[in-house]
Amino acid sequence: MTSFKRSFGDSCGSSELSSKVFLRSSKGKCTKIVRELYLRRDIPCSSKLCTRCLMDIKGDSYGRKKPFVLSSNAPVNGTIKVPHYIVPDTNVFLHCMDVLEHAAITDVIILQTVLDEVRARSLPLYNRLRALVASGEKRFYVFHNEFRSETYVRREPGETINDRNDRAVRRGVQWYHEHLKEVASDSGKSIAVVMVSNDKGNLDKGKREGVTCCNIKEYVSGMKSSDELLDMISTALENENAKIAKGDMLYPEYYSMSKMMTGVKAGTLHQGKFNISPYNFLEGSIHVPSFDRPLLILGRENINRSVHGDQVVVRVLPKDQWKHPSSKIIEEETMAKNDNPEVEQFEAIETEQERKALIDEAKVSQGAIGEGKPQPTARVVGVIKRNWRYYVGHLDRSSAPSVGGRSQRNVFLIPMDKKIPKIRLRTRQASELFGKRIVVSIDAWDRTSRYPSGHFVRSLGEVETKEAETEALLLEWDVQYRPFPRAVLDCLPKEGHEWRVPQDPEDPRLHQRTDYRGLLVCSIDPPGCQDIDDALHANRMPNGNYEVGVHIADVTHFVKPNTAMDDEASVRGTTVYLVDKRIDMLPPLLGTDLCSLKPCVERFAFSVIWEITESGDIVGTKFSKSMIKSREAFSYEQAQLRIDDKSRNDELTQGMRTLLMLSKKLRQKRMDAGALNLASPEVRIETESETSDPIDVKTKEMLETNSLVEEFMLLANISVAGKIYEAFSQTALLRRHGAPPAPNFEELQNQLRVTRGLTLHTDSSKALADSLDRCVDPSNPYFNTLVRILATRCMVSAEYFCSGTHGYPEFRHYGLASEIYTHFTSPIRRYADVVAHRQLAAAIGYEPLHPTLHSKAKLENVCGNINNRHRNAQMAGRASVEYHVGQALRGKVTEEEGYLMRIFSNGLVVFVPRFGVEGLIRVRDLAPVEPKSEFDAENYRLTVEGSTGSWSVGLFDRVVVKVMDDMEEHTGKRKIKMTLVSVEGQKLV
């Protein structure tokens, strides 16, 4: 309870308040904690019309005063017909942040009371709000009403915290109103102050107290862009009772949070991340520690309003209800094509088609399919944390056939991501938004509705335009692509591109730096690489061994801890590489110039130097900050040509040949230790030089020089990992790759045994590597690569972690067969490497470690973010390749060799190595009338009765497909479409 130090009557003008609480320790001892609050009268209103506040405020130690924010030409609209500032309450910020971020909303006063409430309720929204304040252009001002004596309000006896905060908001508006009336007498220009709230009780009280107020809908209805702004208002603001009155409950009610947590602790319920199948929108799964196989979740009722990525709690169903994973492709667009978006119409939880599909699947599960047992099956009973984000898609034209007028209507948005259900929107802009890529946000998913409801955020542009599609995939994968803020750019060296390595040996920046500028160093990278992280050298030592050096860009010389640039880099986590652009982690001045190890330019580096024997054994390792001068910047192909050119015998070329020779020996040692040689399809998009439009797709060729660079980067990462762990055993930032659970390989093992009579051993990485080498088919040279691609998909993801959170045996990197590993070699494009550089610098005594890197909890947060960013960057890159492959094939038809990767009862998944993509061929698309087919699940074969006779196709079979581009109606994406031409040499048409 807060009280004045003197009686309230005597102290109304006092500037000091105190509160006291009593804390009881575990031993029963009570401690009194007294907190004092000092109130002031010099906190400014920040209106540019106010000269009084400008005179009252004090400057900093240099006498500088912060400029006022709120405009002297305040906005006017149709609702509030006089110049005004607005003061939104907490509810508005929580549910209408998209509206407030719109360019039309300016001159906003954020009370400290509201800011604190937003921070307590939603940290992401709080960060967005702080960004609005920092932008300057929007003129959002934080007024510290809790520290100004006239606006501080005391919580009354029996008053709830929420009511007290509402009263504080109204008091803040009243003070502004009174204060600006006095300002008007000086300036002759009056400005109103309007409270914007969606709380009816707060609005009623405000009106009784003489406060000018309205709700958010009333406020934006008077603006020029009212249609767009009204669409952006969250549907969560609708009255809950009105929603329930619209229909019966379709979905089961969620358990309470306490019931879920109790059940999880007791082991009767299970918590995990919900994943939806890419081939069956009615089938989900969840991995939980108690089961070695994922729990299946089948049907809308069991999925119970979960969205892909949600953290959910499930209850395992009785064993007689366990099912097999689906053997059929079930797509939402075919099952729910005629759904009406109007919620007033009665809805069933599942359509007739969906029920039939589930019954068919249940019948299959009753029979004997494959040799496996049914999989544990569960039902979602609650959601711990929603993974809702911005979703990109397009409006379904069939959901609003009569386009015209400005009346508000319900329509469906079809997300680009097939794993996300259709989203119901209420909009006045349907006619303008058809054919556009638009961004929406999910607000709620009520028990009365088959689909989630959301609101419009913004339009990205016409479907299929490069700008709209690129921004769409960046949003889909949560890539931070905004321009670097001014605060970040202010951290760059003042010399800009003119920065040079100091030439004076006494310069403090050269302290403890080793001078390697005399070494013949070169870099080997992909063609056109500008952000050159690494360079290498090798030469023969007098004792017959070799000195080999890896030199890494010294990013941490420029990016210091606890600066705006470091904060931005840690949030971005990684550079994202798309086909036609790069989203940098660091400003280009650093990434492509001052840090980049460009040829013939002196640069700061962090070097790892080894002494290596002829047989590839490491004799010694040393680390040092350094200076280098690279002699050449080769592409992989240029380096390979240089090494293979027997007429070139200069010292640099000889050094490159030494590196290649040693890299082969290092690679063999890794393979002998059990490192895996896995595969993933990689292609290169060729673009038109002037427009950057894609014109062709080529398979990436792997050269010996690719392996050369890879081996020495791996060696550097392993060496650094050992050093930083030795110095910081509890807080070293490392990277681990766990051994995959045995059930992950069960399906692939069974497929190889049934179709080829091959055995895949997974007891250890060495056993797996050896058995992968034996997976060959003399009649199909590509078969081994195919198996390695599928084996890669059985792996768990590698992850960054803080060493103090795992035992040493769990540090192991399974794929590399290394006991310890980290990332050190790419600090320009990975934040994990920046942290490793700082830890290594401290480990060798170059500089002390920043206090934040001593905190295990903070490092765990960093690891969590960069794991997520790294995964998203990979997915964004793949999505970019997929988009550009579709564009490169536009208007073209070609026949290509492909391989059967997966077989369903009603379709085939074909992989085409030439384009590095998979395509779905449905049985119904094989002929004008869907042919009869029979699926032999035990032997992974599908037999089809065609017009020219029956034919059969099996898993891993080689096929020829006709490949063309196709605009996918459901998602609006241009993708590859395939039709079967022949199977194992047998022509089908």
Side-chain angles (χ1 to χ4, degrees):
M1 176 179 172
T2 303
S3 64
F4 284 89
K5 285 194 166 182
R6 296 181 294 278
S7 68
F8 182 65
D10 295 336
S11 307
C12 58
S14 174
S15 62
E16 183 180 348
L17 301 98
S18 68
S19 64
K20 58 185 177 181
V21 294
F22 292 90
L23 298 180
R24 187 182 297 277
S25 71
S26 57
K27 297 180 180 179
K29 183 180 178 182
C30 282
T31 304
K32 183 171 75 171
I33 307 292
V34 177
R35 296 187 179 94
E36 294 184 342
L37 175 65
Y38 294 89
L39 302 179
R40 305 165 56 173
R41 292 181 179 274
D42 61 349
I43 297 173
C45 68
S46 201
S47 171
K48 291 182 178 179
L49 285 177
C50 182
T51 55
R52 300 186 181 195
C53 287
L54 193 61
M55 294 170 60
D56 289 342
I57 61 171
K58 297 177 181 177
D60 59 17
S61 56
Y62 295 98
R64 295 173 301 195
K65 297 180 180 181
K66 285 188 177 181
F68 281 8
V69 173
L70 301 171
S71 173
S72 56
N73 296 309
V76 177
N77 69 25
T79 304
I80 311 297
K81 296 180 170 59
V82 295
H84 62 275
Y85 305 142
I86 63 170
V87 183
D89 70 358
T90 306
N91 188 274
V92 172
F93 282 112
L94 292 176
H95 294 108
C96 301
M97 186 65 80
D98 294 321
V99 176
L100 296 169
E101 287 175 330
H102 193 279
I105 305 294
T106 60
D107 294 287
V108 177
I109 299 165
I110 306 164
L111 299 181
Q112 180 195 346
T113 306
V114 172
L115 188 67
D116 291 344
E117 277 196 294
V118 171
R119 183 173 188 173
R121 297 277 295 277
S122 172
L123 196 55
L125 288 177
Y126 170 79
N127 289 333
R128 287 168 66 184
L129 184 51
R130 294 301 309 188
L132 287 174
V133 174
S135 72
E137 300 170 1
K138 296 271 290 169
R139 302 191 295 278
F140 277 50
Y141 171 63
V142 177
F143 178 68
H144 293 275
N145 63 306
E146 298 287 357
F147 293 107
R148 179 137 188 159
S149 56
E150 301 98 316
T151 55
Y152 175 81
V153 299
R154 203 172 48 142
R155 185 177 170 190
E156 301 291 349
E159 187 178 34
T160 67
I161 293 176
N162 186 61
D163 286 345
R164 180 266 171 199
N165 289 344
D166 284 348
R167 190 158 55 87
V169 172
R170 296 195 300 273
R171 179 66 195 118
V173 175
Q174 288 171 330
W175 178 83
Y176 257 99
H177 175 71
E178 295 160 4
H179 178 73
L180 292 178
K181 275 179 67 177
E182 296 174 5
V183 170
S185 64
D186 298 336
S187 65
K189 197 170 184 179
S190 63
I191 291 183
V193 182
V194 182
M195 181 179 77
V196 180
S197 173
N198 290 305
D199 183 335
K200 188 175 183 301
N202 197 20
L203 289 170
D204 290 342
K205 290 177 183 176
K207 288 172 183 175
R208 287 198 298 269
E209 294 169 5
V211 173
T212 304
C213 54
C214 63
N215 64 39
I216 188 70
K217 284 189 177 181
E218 292 169 341
Y219 183 75
V220 301
S221 293
M223 305 184 77
K224 288 182 180 179
S225 48
S226 59
D227 285 347
E228 184 180 356
L229 290 165
L230 286 167
D231 284 354
M232 295 168 74
I233 294 175
S234 169
T235 56
L237 294 175
E238 292 183 24
N239 186 281
E240 188 67 26
N241 294 328
K243 290 182 181 179
I244 292 172
K246 289 178 181 175
D248 296 334
M249 298 298 176
L250 301 179
Y251 290 100
E253 186 177 5
Y254 287 153
Y255 288 2
S256 67
M257 188 64 72
S258 60
K259 184 176 181 179
M260 286 192 290
M261 291 297 96
T262 302
V264 170
K265 286 181 181 177
T268 57
L269 302 176
H270 305 275
Q271 179 181 340
K273 183 181 176 181
F274 177 74
N275 298 291
I276 204 77
S277 166
Y279 299 108
N280 182 350
F281 81 104
L282 296 176
E283 178 182 287
S285 64
I286 171 177
H287 290 266
V288 297
S290 306
F291 290 83
D292 58 1
R293 302 172 73 190
L295 302 180
L296 277 182
I297 304 170
L298 299 173
R300 285 190 191 270
E301 187 172 356
N302 288 335
I303 291 174
N304 196 7
R305 297 170 283 156
S306 302
V307 175
H308 182 74
D310 285 350
Q311 282 290 327
V312 301
V313 171
V314 300
R315 176 173 58 83
V316 177
L317 298 176
K319 284 193 175 182
D320 60 354
Q321 296 182 40
W322 289 10
K323 302 287 194 303
H324 288 276
S326 175
S327 61
K328 189 174 185 179
I329 301 163
I330 304 178
E331 297 168 303
E332 186 178 25
E333 60 262 37
T334 59
M335 292 289 170
K337 185 175 283 187
N338 300 316
D339 279 3
N340 192 321
E342 294 299 335
V343 294
E344 288 77 10
Q345 175 181 327
F346 172 75
E347 295 180 313
I349 193 168
E350 284 156 351
T351 66
E352 193 63 38
Q353 279 183 297
E354 290 170 4
R355 275 196 296 274
K356 184 178 183 301
L358 289 171
I359 291 169
D360 290 344
E361 283 298 304
K363 287 177 180 177
V364 173
S365 290
Q366 294 294 328
I369 83 163
E371 295 192 357
K373 297 177 181 178
Q375 207 159 313
T377 307
R379 167 178 290 180
V380 173
V381 296
V383 177
I384 297 291
K385 185 180 180 183
R386 290 290 191 187
N387 190 43
W388 293 350
R389 53 178 173 81
Y390 284 143
Y391 298 99
V392 183
H394 69 283
L395 295 187
D396 180 5
R397 281 191 178 275
S398 65
S399 67
S402 56
V403 177
R406 308 296 295 180
S407 61
Q408 194 174 46
R409 70 184 74 194
N410 284 332
V411 293
F412 281 130
L413 174 116
I414 303 174
M416 293 177 68
D417 186 351
K418 283 190 171 185
K419 295 180 181 179
I420 306 301
K422 290 194 289 191
I423 301 169
R424 182 183 275 117
L425 303 178
R426 195 153 182 79
T427 178
R428 296 165 177 77
Q429 306 177 84
S431 56
E432 290 95 334
L433 295 179
F434 281 123
K436 301 275 184 69
R437 278 271 178 250
I438 64 172
V439 184
V440 304
S441 179
I442 294 179
D443 300 320
W445 194 342
D446 299 305
R447 294 173 60 199
T448 57
S449 174
R450 190 185 298 139
Y451 299 104
S453 56
H455 67 268
F456 167 83
V457 176
R458 62 190 173 101
S459 170
L460 301 180
E462 297 290 333
V463 169
E464 268 215 288
T465 57
K466 184 187 290 188
E467 294 76 15
E469 298 298 333
T470 300
E471 190 171 3
L473 75 86
L474 293 174
L475 283 166
E476 278 292 294
W477 295 110
D478 193 23
V479 174
Q480 304 292 310
Y481 63 96
R482 63 170 186 164
F484 286 100
R486 170 53 54 190
V488 172
L489 300 179
D490 287 344
C491 297
L492 293 170
K494 304 304 179 191
E495 302 93 331
H497 293 284
E498 301 304 314
W499 182 91
R500 297 289 182 270
V501 169
Q503 298 303 306
D504 182 0
E506 301 303 317
D507 192 297
R509 289 173 290 178
L510 303 184
H511 177 61
Q512 291 186 317
R513 281 193 183 270
T514 307
D515 190 348
Y516 289 135
R517 288 175 289 188
L519 296 175
L520 295 180
V521 174
C522 69
S523 61
I524 306 174
D525 291 284
C529 180
Q530 294 178 304
D531 48 347
I532 303 173
D533 285 288
D534 54 87
L536 306 99
H537 88 274
N539 53 54
R540 195 78 182 243
M541 299 175 69
N543 63 2
N545 292 338
Y546 296 95
E547 179 190 88
V548 177
V550 164
H551 310 275
I552 307 300
D554 188 7
V555 169
T556 55
H557 174 78
F558 299 96
V559 183
K560 299 301 183 185
N562 205 27
T563 61
M565 188 185 298
D566 186 55
D567 292 343
E568 183 73 13
S570 69
V571 168
R572 295 187 179 218
T574 181
T575 293
V576 180
Y577 293 91
L578 307 181
V579 169
D580 60 339
K581 69 188 301 183
R582 186 183 67 241
I583 313 298
D584 291 313
M585 183 183 81
L586 297 173
L589 175 64
L590 294 186
T592 61
D593 189 2
L594 305 190
C595 292
S596 183
L597 305 182
K598 300 192 295 185
C600 306
V601 181
E602 294 180 357
R603 287 288 180 252
F604 282 162
F606 211 149
S607 300
V608 185
I609 310 293
W610 301 278
E611 182 179 344
I612 304 180
T613 66
E614 186 87 32
S615 59
D617 295 322
I618 309 298
V619 175
T621 308
K622 61 181 179 180
F623 309 92
S624 65
K625 291 268 190 169
S626 62
M627 297 172 284
I628 67 165
K629 184 177 181 180
S630 175
R631 299 305 195 265
E632 292 277 359
F634 295 105
S635 68
Y636 290 117
E637 187 175 2
Q638 289 170 339
Q640 191 68 55
L641 291 171
R642 179 78 168 255
I643 290 170
D644 294 341
D645 186 353
K646 294 181 181 178
S647 67
R648 300 295 294 263
N649 289 298
D650 55 275
E651 200 173 342
L652 179 61
T653 306
Q654 293 289 4
M656 292 165 67
R657 288 174 183 150
T658 299
L659 288 169
L660 182 58
M661 177 270 291
L662 292 173
S663 72
K664 291 178 179 178
K665 295 181 178 178
L666 291 172
R667 180 177 175 79
Q668 190 57 53
K669 285 177 181 290
R670 284 199 308 110
M671 294 298 136
D672 293 343
L676 297 176
N677 180 21
L678 299 173
S680 60
E682 288 193 64
V683 297
R684 176 170 52 86
I685 310 293
E686 291 191 348
T687 57
E688 207 277 325
S689 58
E690 291 186 8
T691 64
S692 296
D693 291 334
I695 54 176
D696 200 4
V697 184
K698 298 287 180 66
T699 304
K700 278 188 179 178
E701 183 184 2
M702 300 304 289
L703 303 170
E704 286 185 327
T705 46
N706 290 83
S707 180
L708 180 161
V709 174
E710 180 185 14
E711 289 304 318
F712 284 108
M713 296 308 110
L714 292 175
L715 183 60
N717 289 335
I718 292 168
S719 301
V720 170
K723 184 67 176 179
I724 63 176
Y725 177 63
E726 177 188 312
F728 308 105
S729 60
Q730 291 299 303
T731 54
L733 191 148
L734 304 174
R735 187 164 175 82
R736 64 190 290 270
H737 182 212
N744 285 24
F745 280 96
E746 284 180 359
E747 184 68 11
L748 180 58
Q749 287 171 317
N750 192 57
Q751 291 169 348
L752 291 170
R753 183 181 59 78
V754 170
T755 63
R756 296 293 191 276
L758 296 170
T759 303
L760 198 63
H761 297 288
T762 59
D763 307 335
S764 65
S765 61
K766 176 64 174 170
L768 177 58
D770 291 342
S771 56
L772 283 172
D773 289 340
R774 292 191 291 269
C775 287
V776 294
D777 182 347
S779 65
N780 182 358
Y782 196 77
F783 176 73
N784 185 260
T785 302
L786 205 63
V787 174
R788 291 181 190 276
I789 291 171
L790 292 171
T792 303
R793 298 176 185 181
C794 298
M795 297 290 170
V796 297
S797 298
E799 63 178 7
Y800 298 104
F801 71 103
C802 176
S803 58
T805 60
H806 291 76
Y808 189 81
E810 296 175 309
F811 290 10
R812 182 174 175 79
H813 196 292
Y814 181 85
L816 299 175
S818 176
E819 295 300 315
I820 192 168
Y821 191 68
T822 192
H823 273 162
F824 165 79
T825 54
S826 298
I828 292 176
R829 61 183 179 89
R830 287 190 307 232
Y831 189 72
D833 304 54
V834 173
V835 176
H837 275 234
R838 289 173 181 157
Q839 292 183 332
L840 182 61
I844 65 174
Y846 181 81
E847 61 188 2
L849 191 64
H850 193 269
T852 56
L853 296 183
H854 286 295
S855 168
K856 197 188 301 184
K858 288 184 178 179
L859 273 170
E860 274 298 283
N861 288 336
V862 169
C863 289
N865 180 62
I866 57 181
N867 282 329
N868 183 53
R869 295 295 179 193
H870 178 75
R871 185 165 48 249
N872 287 356
Q874 287 183 316
M875 300 308 293
R878 290 172 191 169
S880 179
V881 168
E882 183 182 15
Y883 166 73
H884 282 85
V885 167
Q887 294 296 316
L889 288 174
R890 196 165 185 169
K892 300 176 184 176
V893 180
T894 178
E895 289 191 4
E896 299 292 340
E897 192 175 78
Y899 299 89
L900 268 293
M901 296 284 277
R902 193 165 179 180
I903 298 183
F904 294 94
S905 61
N906 61 339
L908 313 165
V909 178
V910 178
F911 171 66
V912 178
R914 159 82 193 281
F915 300 128
V917 296
E918 294 176 21
L920 180 63
I921 301 176
R922 302 168 186 82
V923 170
R924 70 169 186 261
D925 296 332
L926 294 174
V929 178
E930 183 172 344
K932 292 181 180 179
S933 61
E934 184 179 341
F935 178 47
D936 182 355
E938 284 192 26
N939 294 301
Y940 302 100
R941 295 200 72 81
L942 181 69
T943 302
V944 179
E945 298 289 337
S947 57
T948 58
S950 68
W951 52 272
S952 178
V953 65
L955 196 65
F956 306 128
D957 280 359
R958 181 165 37 195
V959 298
V960 174
V961 291
K962 188 177 288 184
V963 180
M964 64 203 80
D965 70 299
D966 178 57
M967 172 63 84
E968 196 172 59
E969 184 180 351
H970 185 65
T971 62
K973 290 182 181 179
R974 185 167 297 278
K975 302 179 76 171
I976 278 184
K977 181 181 180 181
M978 301 180 191
T979 58
L980 272 179
V981 175
S982 67
V983 177
E984 292 293 340
Q986 178 188 350
K987 286 275 187 180
L988 303 184
V989 290

